[in-house]
Amino acid sequence: MTSVKAALLSFVMLSAIVLCGLGIYSADAANNHQAVDGYGVTAALR
């Protein structure tokens, strides 16, 4: 595999991870679920 193909594959995989994360976040927000960040920041703001 050439370095160009490896770079493109890495970019596509990272983009897919980001898009899946945004999809889950927006689906939770659309259903009136509180977004959880995993660090307790949202709980501290309440």
Side-chain angles (χ1 to χ4, degrees):
M1 179 180 287
T2 64
S3 60
V4 174
K5 286 184 182 179
L8 288 175
L9 180 62
S10 297
F11 176 74
V12 170
M13 289 183 356
L14 288 174
S15 298
I17 291 170
V18 169
L19 288 176
C20 288
L22 286 175
I24 292 170
Y25 180 82
S26 62
D28 282 344
N31 290 323
N32 293 328
H33 290 160
Q34 183 179 6
V36 177
D37 57 9
Y39 296 104
V41 175
T42 53
L45 294 176
R46 291 182 80 189

